[in-house]
Every structure is written in C-alpha cells, then in structure tokens.
Amino acid sequence: MSEKEVKNLEAIFEARIARDEKIEPKDWMPEKYRQTHIRQISQHAHSEIVGMLPEGNWITRAPSLRRKAALLAKVQDEAGHGLYLYSATETLGISREELFDQLHSGKAKYSSIFNYPSVTWADIGAIGWLVDGAAIINQVALCTTSFGPYARAMVRICKEESFHQRQGYEIMLTLCNGTPEQKAMAQDALNRWWWPSLMMFGPRDADSPHTEQSMKWKLKRKTNDELRQQFVDQTVPQADILGITVPDPDLKFNPETGHYDFGEIDWDEFWQVVKGHGPCNKERMEARVGAWERGSWVREAAMAYAEKQAKKKVAKAS
Ligand SMILES: [Fe+2]
Ligand SMILES: [Fe+2]
C-alpha cells in the first residue's frame, strides 16, 4: 500500500470514530490502535482473573451461607469478565496462549490493587465497595468506546459490577451496625483499602503518557484525575453513612468547587507495586502460574479427545 493510500484509510478511520461508529475486528485499523487495544483489553482481562484471588481466599470462610453464595457468585462473575475480555482481545489477532504467556512471564500488567492482601472478612466488604466501585467509574465510559467487542463486553460487565459494589457495601453496613469490634474491623479495612483504591485510577494526568491518544480513540472519556475526583466525591458520603472515617486528614469538602479536596497519594508506593514489589505480587503470580501448570492435563486431554473425534469423523466419511 502506498503512503497516500494509508493516509486515506487513516482519515476514513478517524472520521468513523468521530461519528461514534464502532470499529469491528475485520475493519481496517491503524497498527497503533490494534496494539494499544491488545495491551489495554488484555490488561483488563488479567486484572479480572488475578482479582479473583484476594476474594477467593474468603469463600470457605464467609460467615453465613448467604454471604458465601453471594461471594461465590461474585468471584464467578469476575472469571466470566476475564473470559469475555480475553475473547475480545483475540479478535485483534493474538492467541490466548500468548496472552497467558505475557501474564505469567510478568510482561503484561494487571491492576496493582490485587497485590494487596485480604486479611479480614471486612476486606471483602471494602473490596466490593471501593475496588468494584472504582472499577465501575473507570469502566462505564468504556461501554461507548470505539472498539465494538470491547464496548459490548463492557455493557454486561458494568451491570455485574454494580451488584458487586452493592454486596460489598452491604457487608460494610452490616459490620458498622454490629458490635464495636465489627465496626472497628470495618474501619481498619477502610484504612488499608482507601489509598490503594485511589491509585486504581493510575498516575496523575501529567505523568500519564497514553491519555491524549486514548481520549482521541474514545478509549478514555475522562482523565485519570477527573475519574479519581469523581470517585472521592461519590464515596466520601457513603463512608459518612457507614459512620467510619476516610483515613485522610486533608480530606475536606470545598464549597467553592463543589468537590472534595484530598491529600497526596504516596506515589512511591504506587510505583513500587506497579514494578512488582507490592505485598502480594509474588504470591499472585505463583498462584496463577501454578493453576496454569496444574491444569495442563485438562488441556492435553481435551486436545487428545478433539483429535480422536476428528479422526472418527474422517473414518466415517471415507
Ligand atoms: Fe469484574
Ligand atoms: Fe467486580
């Protein structure tokens, strides 16, 4: 293709995005668009899968049958989210094996929030309330993103995330209306999960190199700092209802802006966890790689069975 032809295709492509048309897997797209989407959607898929680990840790210890059923359903939803998103990524021309390999070798990232431990039952409440709450804010905009398979997956995912957020908040509400010990447990979980939740929106806009291009492709509708502010404004009144305190001495409603002002995030901690030195990075990777290796006999058996069936078909046909 000549340079002029490529320029022409690019112009048509940008115009389609500007008109809010969906880009489908077989449509022409710039290579950078394809690579950015492979990176972002697979990172999202990995986050759903690794995100099952901190909560899976509590399924056997949930305090009642009702809590166990809700948590089990939630963790299964996350597995489903991972699978839709891996499928959406595969439509861009990368195999599931390659995607897993990128995760297992540490080449691909996943949300750093899942590198924190879930040490008490209240953490399950805090994760649903804060982590799924932050995820919804990040993800609602993606329901109208330009790449069709991603946008369609996100519609269903967001519906399920709102159930996750409510089941978490309800756990917190129950604990906060319980004994002083239970309320203290809820406060302790908020203390530990608040800052990592704010980090889920990523680096400050000034330190976020992909933002501009992503906004153009509607892969992002708002910047990291705008989304973070929205999360703070939405979540602080919910903490007030619970009667527990957000662990930030600088947090204050600003009547002039109509938003909450809040303190500085510990960016050293953020980058440490991103680079693989968080409290549970090693444990999470060992769990994922171990599950992949222990599952190899299932994959091999399924392949052998499929080959046997194919041979039978050929034999019948001849
Ligand atoms: Fe999810
Ligand atoms: Fe979720």
Side-chain angles (χ1 to χ4, degrees):
M1 225 184 289
S2 74
E3 206 175 307
K4 201 177 152 205
E5 280 170 319
V6 173
K7 280 252 148 50
N8 199 15
L9 284 171
E10 264 171 14
I12 295 170
F13 177 85
E14 299 294 346
R16 291 186 64 197
I17 290 188
R19 285 197 300 272
D20 270 332
E21 275 179 37
K22 292 279 173 269
I23 306 300
E24 297 300 337
K26 288 187 175 155
D27 296 347
W28 185 88
M29 61 185 79
E31 192 50 28
K32 200 174 161 208
Y33 180 91
R34 182 187 303 277
Q35 292 307 331
T36 302
H37 279 74
I38 289 177
R39 195 188 67 237
Q40 165 144 352
I41 308 173
S42 67
Q43 194 169 308
H44 191 166
H46 299 324
S47 302
E48 301 283 357
I49 297 298
V50 178
M52 295 162 74
L53 294 169
E55 290 178 294
N57 181 30
W58 279 91
I59 291 174
T60 54
R61 292 178 286 164
S64 68
L65 181 60
R66 179 172 162 270
R67 293 292 185 205
K68 194 191 285 270
L71 183 58
L72 194 58
K74 191 218 181 233
V75 173
Q76 280 176 337
D77 284 352
E78 307 299 8
H81 299 173
L83 297 181
Y84 309 145
L85 292 168
Y86 281 129
S87 300
T89 320
E90 283 175 298
T91 68
L92 290 162
I94 184 164
S95 71
R96 189 81 59 110
E97 263 79 27
E98 264 175 278
L99 293 169
F100 283 144
D101 190 57
Q102 289 176 353
L103 175 67
H104 297 159
S105 67
K107 193 179 154 216
K109 298 264 175 273
Y110 55 87
S111 179
S112 55
I113 190 83
F114 302 119
N115 291 313
Y116 289 87
S118 52
V119 291
T120 73
W121 171 249
D123 287 7
I124 300 307
I127 291 173
W129 173 35
L130 301 171
V131 176
D132 291 89
I136 294 169
I137 290 182
N138 265 329
Q139 291 172 8
V140 162
L142 291 171
C143 296
T144 56
T145 191
S146 60
F147 186 56
Y150 196 23
R152 288 188 288 274
M154 289 321 294
V155 173
R156 174 157 177 190
I157 289 177
C158 282
K159 282 185 191 155
E160 294 178 346
E161 293 303 349
S162 81
F163 153 73
H164 300 169
Q165 200 264 353
R166 273 176 287 169
Q167 69 88 37
Y169 193 71
E170 202 226 345
I171 292 173
M172 294 301 274
L173 202 55
T174 306
L175 290 171
C176 290
N177 290 329
T179 63
E181 287 83 359
Q182 285 172 320
K183 192 168 179 183
M185 210 161 100
Q187 177 67 61
D188 167 63
L190 174 58
N191 291 349
R192 284 179 293 106
W193 289 93
W194 175 254
W195 291 105
S197 300
L198 293 192
M199 293 176 198
M200 282 177 71
F201 298 94
R204 274 180 298 226
D205 292 347
D207 304 319
S208 176
H210 302 303
T211 294
E212 203 192 325
Q213 182 64 75
S214 295
M215 297 276 277
K216 229 171 103 195
W217 285 334
K218 297 175 177 168
L219 195 46
K220 253 185 187 174
R221 299 271 178 170
K222 289 180 183 172
T223 69
N224 295 356
D225 288 336
E226 285 170 336
L227 293 168
R228 191 165 12 244
Q229 183 69 56
Q230 191 183 330
F231 175 76
V232 172
D233 289 344
Q234 175 182 308
T235 310
V236 173
Q238 294 171 350
D240 292 343
I241 294 171
L242 294 174
I244 50 181
T245 313
V246 172
D248 178 359
D250 297 323
L251 184 78
K252 206 173 161 226
F253 186 72
N254 183 334
E256 269 169 39
T257 60
H259 297 291
Y260 282 89
D261 294 334
F262 54 97
E264 191 62 35
I265 289 170
D266 182 346
W267 293 109
D268 280 345
E269 178 181 323
F270 172 79
W271 290 114
Q272 281 301 315
V273 182
V274 169
K275 283 176 192 150
H277 311 301
C280 300
N281 294 61
K282 206 170 151 252
E283 190 183 324
R284 300 292 182 239
M285 269 306 89
E286 276 169 6
R288 283 314 315 157
V289 173
W292 178 250
E293 285 169 356
R294 283 192 304 278
S296 68
W297 69 272
V298 180
R299 294 189 297 277
E300 282 158 24
M303 289 306 288
Y305 181 74
E307 270 164 37
K308 217 157 109 187
Q309 292 304 101
K311 265 186 207 152
K312 261 190 203 162
K313 235 187 204 166
V314 175
K316 245 189 209 162
S318 57

